[in-house]
Each structure stands twice: as C-alpha cells, then as structure tokens.
C-alpha cells in the first residue's frame, strides 16, 4: 500500500539546536517528494521538493532534505532552528506518472523554545 | 496576489444534513485538489480536477461525497447525509498547469463539525 510515515509526531527543541525530521515512504515506482510547512494560523505552504537529480535539495529558510532511495527516506534537516520555525511539517509523495494522488504523512509538530 | 479562498471557514451542522463547501482557486490555476484532514491524521486525498473534469476521484470515501467544478474555476464539495465521522478540516489546493511538477497552493480550509 502507498503510505508516508513520519515517526516523530511532536518535537521540542531549543533555539540553535539541529533538526532532523524523519520521513519514510512506501510507493511502487519512481516518486516525487515534498515537504510542506504550516505555521500557526497560516495555510500549508511548500518548503522544498525533490523531482530528480541531486538527492540533496535545499528549500526556503535554510531547510534541506536528502532523498535516500535505498532507504525510501526523505528526511528534513536544519542545522540551527529558530523560534519562528515552530510549525507543523508534512512530508508528501506522488508517483512520477499516471497519477495525481498525493500521499501525505500525518505531520510532525515542531516547537522551538526561545 | 489573492490566494486560494475557501468558505465557510467553519461549519457546524447536525448529523444527516447536507453541506456544501466552496473553493475559489488562484486565477489561472487549472488544477484543483480537495483533501480531508481528520484529527491526528495526515491529509487524505479526495479528488483532483483538471479544468472542469475530474480524472481522479478515487479518494472520495463514499457516494455521499461529490464535487464539481464549473468554468474551470470555483469548485464545490458536497457531503450528503453527513455523519459524525465526516468531521474534519477540508482543504482545497490549486496549481498551475504542468501536472505534478507545479507546487500546490493551499487554502485555509473549512473546519466541519457534525453534531
């Protein structure tokens, strides 16, 4: 079955700590991968995406993610978090052809303490 | 510019009633998606529109759910004979032509509560 797993449901960090949020997927075939973020009181917005090429992709606000095909993973990282990174983060996957059905994870709530 | 607009932002209704949720996409966005987010769950794909047609409606959970899109713009998601398990946030997203390579732009959602 097609699925996305985000094992960390809640993460609490102090400012300047490093962040890594896990995302593993189960999907037959080649995929495109995304991270979306929802800041408090705002709508979901795209943080970064992977389609092909360099498996290390960089997004907005200093975030990056690495696609490891052998591990079916697309973990999100940031070397030093800020209070303003407090948000909910969603990983998503979609096949590269013949589908419009995005599969989202259940999200990870990140709280950064000032 | 204007983003994706959804109305109402909140809807409370009694079990068994019909509800209509509206999505007004960004101008020029031919692709439109509906999702449902239940408490503690991720976004669940419901339906995808390209223009006025829906090539993928595989996510609609039952025949009580239907959606239409007219004029390649506004879309309405209708839930008939609502049940308590329909309580969720319903999100709409739109994107430019170009398929899955285009990022989705999300609305703020409609929070539906079935009493």
């Amino acid at each position: 079955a097609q699925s996305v797993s985000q094992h960390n449901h809640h993460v609490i960090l102090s400012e300047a700590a490093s962040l890594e949020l896990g995302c593993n997927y189960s999907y037959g075939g080649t995929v495109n991968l995304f991270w979306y973020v929802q800041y408090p009181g705002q709508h979901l917005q795209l943080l970064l995406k992977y389609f092909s090429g360099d498996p290390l992709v960089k997004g907005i606000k200093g975030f990056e993610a690495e696609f490891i095909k052998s591990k079916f993973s697309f973990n999100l990282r940031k070397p030093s978090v800020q209070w303003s990174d407090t948000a909910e983060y969603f990983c998503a996957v979609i096949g590269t052809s013949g589908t419009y059905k995005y599969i989202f994870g259940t999200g990870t709530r990140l709280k950064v303490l000032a | 510019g204007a983003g994706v607009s959804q109305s109402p932002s909140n809807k409370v209704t009694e079990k068994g009633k019909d509800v209509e949720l509206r999505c007004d996409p960004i101008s020029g966005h031919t692709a439109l998606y509906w999702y449902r987010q239940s408490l503690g769950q991720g976004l669940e794909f419901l339906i995808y529109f390209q223009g006025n047609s829906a090539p993928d409606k595989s996510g609609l959970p039952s025949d009580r759910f239907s959606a239409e899109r007219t004029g390649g713009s506004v879309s309405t998601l209708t839930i008939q004979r609502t049940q308590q398990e329909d309580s969720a946030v319903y999100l709409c997203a739109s994107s430019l032509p170009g398929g899955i390579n285009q990022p989705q732009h999300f609305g703020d959602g409609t929070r539906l509560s079935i009493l």
Side-chain angles (χ1 to χ4, degrees):
Chain A
Q2 299 164 349
S3 65
V4 173
S5 296
Q6 294 181 244
H7 303 293
N8 310 105
H9 298 296
H10 292 89
V11 174
I12 301 175
L13 295 172
S14 297
E15 273 195 317
S18 63
L19 170 72
E20 180 159 6
L21 301 183
C23 173
N24 288 89
Y25 66 92
S26 173
Y27 204 101
T30 55
V31 296
N32 293 333
L33 295 148
F34 306 81
W35 277 96
Y36 280 85
V37 60
Q38 186 168 25
Y39 297 103
Q42 298 186 26
H43 53 261
L44 272 164
Q45 56 187 285
L46 182 66
L47 193 57
L48 50 77
K49 61 186 179 184
Y50 171 80
F51 288 163
S52 63
D54 188 345
L56 183 63
V57 292
K58 296 188 184 299
I60 59 172
K61 303 187 180 184
F63 285 91
E64 64 179 31
E66 184 175 13
F67 171 49
I68 303 179
K69 188 175 181 180
S70 61
K71 294 185 177 180
F72 300 93
S73 70
F74 190 55
N75 293 353
L76 181 70
R77 299 196 294 248
K78 186 171 183 179
S80 176
V81 294
Q82 300 174 309
W83 177 81
S84 57
D85 294 325
T86 294
E88 189 162 16
Y89 294 80
F90 293 90
C91 181
V93 64
I94 189 170
T96 56
S97 64
T99 181
Y100 305 95
K101 185 175 180 179
Y102 288 80
I103 310 295
F104 279 79
T106 54
T108 297
R109 287 186 184 271
L110 171 65
K111 183 170 185 177
V112 179
L113 305 175
Chain B
V4 176
S5 177
Q6 291 188 246
S7 60
S9 54
N10 284 283
K11 177 72 176 180
V12 180
T13 193
E14 294 179 345
K15 177 182 171 181
K17 300 287 189 183
D18 297 352
V19 294
E20 281 190 357
L21 311 180
R22 177 188 168 106
C23 172
D24 202 340
I26 294 172
S27 177
H29 283 199
T30 59
L32 187 146
Y33 304 78
W34 281 100
Y35 294 91
R36 177 171 71 175
Q37 186 176 21
S38 303
L39 192 63
Q41 303 296 313
L43 277 70
E44 176 189 2
F45 170 89
L46 297 179
I47 189 169
Y48 162 76
F49 284 94
Q50 178 57 45
N52 292 338
S53 65
D56 191 341
K57 52 180 76 172
S58 62
L60 294 177
S62 75
D63 59 8
R64 295 187 296 105
F65 287 73
S66 63
E68 65 175 16
R69 188 178 186 194
T70 55
S73 182
V74 172
S75 176
T76 303
L77 177 68
T78 301
I79 310 173
Q80 296 178 310
R81 305 180 302 281
T82 52
Q83 304 293 313
Q84 287 186 329
E85 61 263 29
D86 299 334
S87 295
V89 175
Y90 289 82
L91 289 167
C92 176
S94 69
S95 68
L96 287 166
I100 60 175
N101 290 335
Q102 295 295 336
Q104 297 179 75
H105 298 260
F106 285 84
D108 291 330
T110 294
R111 184 174 298 276
L112 177 64
S113 300
I114 309 299
L115 302 178

